[in-house]
């Protein structure tokens, strides 16, 4: 029943978006018209929006009745971009540490080269993050900076294992996770990361906030592969339909979690703080 309600909401939302953003027919041209995207919606679309919100509320009310006041029994949380973010821009750190190793690239050049390298297929294995991820990150660092010095790589690699390299996205996270677990909601981190994640969480003094950690390098599956979400649910002892995942990447986090049978909320859009996450689940902080 829960999956059926979720499917109806998705179908209505998709149909509404297709009508609103459908490009105009222009002699078979595939180009997208900006004016079509900003045109005022038809009244029928506004009705669809109301229907969506009404169905979301009905669905969450149904789940609260099902789970004794909560919408979900478990919360899965993405790491980078949701739980933590780099304390300083990546390109800035690559350049600062790299200066003594002869790196001449500007931060803009490093960022562009990093994005290009990261988006390329990784041919060494089907997973980017295998064990400690060194081969992959050596490729990324040398591609981004043009520097293949092993000492440079090691200094940069080790820097991102320390607490000074990262900061929490939400200063109230600890209080929220404590409230969730006290209420009986299980919490896990689900992340595409190498084996540095566990020591990093410990360095940030937040490893004890979670009942489980599912790291792609350990479970041998990377988001959006549903397997990593299924493993997280297995670690928590819950069914996928009992869990909601929160992450900042629509493809990896939202689509991946839903493919696994979990609910999913987009960080920064559906929810903007962990307090809001807890409130939607039904836990007051």
């Amino acid at each position: 029943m829960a999956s059926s309600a979720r499917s109806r909401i998705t179908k209505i939302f998709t149909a509404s978006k297709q009508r609103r953003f459908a490009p105009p027919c222009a002699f078979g041209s595939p180009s997208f018209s900006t004016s079509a995207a900003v045109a005022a919606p038809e009244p029928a679309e506004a009705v669809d929006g109301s229907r969506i919100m009404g169905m979301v509320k009905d669905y969450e009310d149904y789940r609260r009745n099902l789970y004794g006041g909560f919408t979900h029994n478990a919360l899965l949380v993405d790491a980078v971009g949701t739980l933590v973010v780099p304390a300083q821009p990546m390109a800035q750190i690559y350049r600062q540490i790299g200066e003594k190793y002869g790196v001449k690239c500007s931060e803009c050049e490093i960022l562009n080269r990093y994005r290009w390298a990261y988006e390329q297929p990784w041919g060494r294995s089907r997973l980017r993050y295998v064990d400690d991820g060194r081969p992959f990150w050596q490729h990324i660092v040398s591609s981004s900076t043009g520097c293949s010095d092993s000492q440079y790589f090691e200094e940069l690699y080790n820097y991102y294992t320390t607490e000074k390299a990262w900061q929490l996205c939400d200063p109230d996270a600890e209080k929220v996770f404590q409230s969730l677990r006290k209420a009986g909601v299980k919490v896990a981190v689900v992340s595409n990361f190498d084996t540095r994640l566990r020591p990093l969480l410990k360095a940030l003094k937040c490893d004890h906030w979670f009942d489980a950690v599912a790291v792609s390098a350990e479970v041998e599956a990377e988001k959006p592969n549903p397997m990593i979400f299924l493993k997280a649910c297995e670690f928590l002892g819950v069914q996928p339909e009992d869990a909601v995942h929160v992450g900042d990447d629509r493809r990896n986090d939202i689509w991946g979690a839903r493919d696994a049978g979990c609910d999913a909320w987009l960080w920064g859009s559906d929810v903007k703080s962990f307090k809001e996450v807890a409130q939607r689940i039904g836990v007051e902080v």
Side-chain angles (χ1 to χ4, degrees), residues 9 93 161 170 187 212:
I9 294 171
I93 295 299
T161 314
D170 186 342
V187 185

Side-chain angles (χ1 to χ4, degrees), residues 156-176:
L156 197 57
Y157 181 88
N158 291 329
Y159 167 80
Y160 280 104
T161 314
T162 66
E163 70 278 8
K164 65 182 179 182
W166 304 91
Q167 63 187 23
L168 295 169
C169 285
D170 186 342
D172 294 327
E174 180 176 12
K175 180 172 64 175
V176 173

Side-chain angles (χ1 to χ4, degrees), residues 61-80:
D61 287 345
Y62 156 74
R63 291 191 65 96
R64 288 191 180 95
N65 290 330
L66 186 67
Y67 293 115
F70 300 151
T71 59
H72 303 84
N73 287 336
L75 171 64
L76 313 180
V77 180
D78 167 52
V80 179

Side-chain angles (χ1 to χ4, degrees), residues 141-155:
V141 170
S142 62
S143 297
S144 302
T145 63
C147 180
S148 299
D149 189 301
S150 60
Q151 288 184 314
Y152 169 49
F153 170 74
E154 288 298 326
E155 184 174 345

Side-chain angles (χ1 to χ4, degrees), residues 104-157:
K104 303 296 184 182
C105 298
S106 67
E107 291 180 22
C108 183
E109 289 175 316
I110 291 172
L111 181 59
N112 289 335
R113 293 172 65 162
Y114 176 97
R115 288 173 173 167
W116 180 88
Y118 199 89
E119 291 170 358
Q120 301 309 302
W122 174 235
R124 296 280 293 274
S125 73
R126 65 184 178 85
L127 300 173
R128 296 184 180 196
Y129 309 116
V130 177
D131 297 328
D132 61 12
R134 269 187 164 82
F136 173 71
W137 286 116
Q138 284 175 328
H139 166 69
I140 293 296
V141 170
S142 62
S143 297
S144 302
T145 63
C147 180
S148 299
D149 189 301
S150 60
Q151 288 184 314
Y152 169 49
F153 170 74
E154 288 298 326
E155 184 174 345
L156 197 57
Y157 181 88

Side-chain angles (χ1 to χ4, degrees), residues 2-232:
S3 60
S4 176
R6 192 161 53 201
S7 297
R8 289 198 301 272
I9 294 171
T10 301
K11 286 178 181 178
I12 292 174
F13 180 76
T14 301
S16 174
K17 294 288 280 186
Q18 286 174 339
R19 284 197 300 274
R20 184 174 301 177
F21 296 111
C25 296
F27 306 102
S29 170
S31 62
F32 182 83
S33 170
T34 304
S35 61
V38 299
E42 296 295 328
E45 293 174 347
V47 172
D48 277 350
S50 299
R51 289 178 64 194
I52 292 169
M53 295 307 297
M55 291 189 72
V56 168
K57 183 180 184 305
D58 289 346
Y59 176 61
E60 292 187 347
D61 287 345
Y62 156 74
R63 291 191 65 96
R64 288 191 180 95
N65 290 330
L66 186 67
Y67 293 115
F70 300 151
T71 59
H72 303 84
N73 287 336
L75 171 64
L76 313 180
V77 180
D78 167 52
V80 179
T82 305
L83 178 65
V84 298
V85 290
Q88 294 177 280
M90 173 277 301
Q92 180 180 327
I93 295 299
Y94 275 40
R95 184 186 59 78
Q96 286 179 349
I97 294 178
E99 283 179 343
K100 61 184 175 183
Y101 297 100
V103 172
K104 303 296 184 182
C105 298
S106 67
E107 291 180 22
C108 183
E109 289 175 316
I110 291 172
L111 181 59
N112 289 335
R113 293 172 65 162
Y114 176 97
R115 288 173 173 167
W116 180 88
Y118 199 89
E119 291 170 358
Q120 301 309 302
W122 174 235
R124 296 280 293 274
S125 73
R126 65 184 178 85
L127 300 173
R128 296 184 180 196
Y129 309 116
V130 177
D131 297 328
D132 61 12
R134 269 187 164 82
F136 173 71
W137 286 116
Q138 284 175 328
H139 166 69
I140 293 296
V141 170
S142 62
S143 297
S144 302
T145 63
C147 180
S148 299
D149 189 301
S150 60
Q151 288 184 314
Y152 169 49
F153 170 74
E154 288 298 326
E155 184 174 345
L156 197 57
Y157 181 88
N158 291 329
Y159 167 80
Y160 280 104
T161 314
T162 66
E163 70 278 8
K164 65 182 179 182
W166 304 91
Q167 63 187 23
L168 295 169
C169 285
D170 186 342
D172 294 327
E174 180 176 12
K175 180 172 64 175
V176 173
F177 291 135
Q178 287 177 343
S179 297
L180 285 165
R181 295 178 72 194
K182 185 176 180 180
V185 177
K186 297 179 179 180
V187 185
V189 173
V190 180
S191 177
N192 286 351
F193 214 106
D194 52 60
T195 51
R196 290 176 295 172
L197 181 59
R198 292 182 187 274
L200 173 60
L201 294 177
K202 188 173 183 179
L204 291 169
K205 297 181 174 59
C206 64
D207 56 319
H208 62 284
W209 298 355
F210 307 100
D211 299 292
V213 177
V215 189
S216 63
E218 296 175 354
V219 303
E220 298 183 349
E222 294 177 358
K223 297 181 293 184
N225 188 332
M227 184 56 65
I228 190 171
F229 299 98
L230 296 175
K231 279 291 186 181

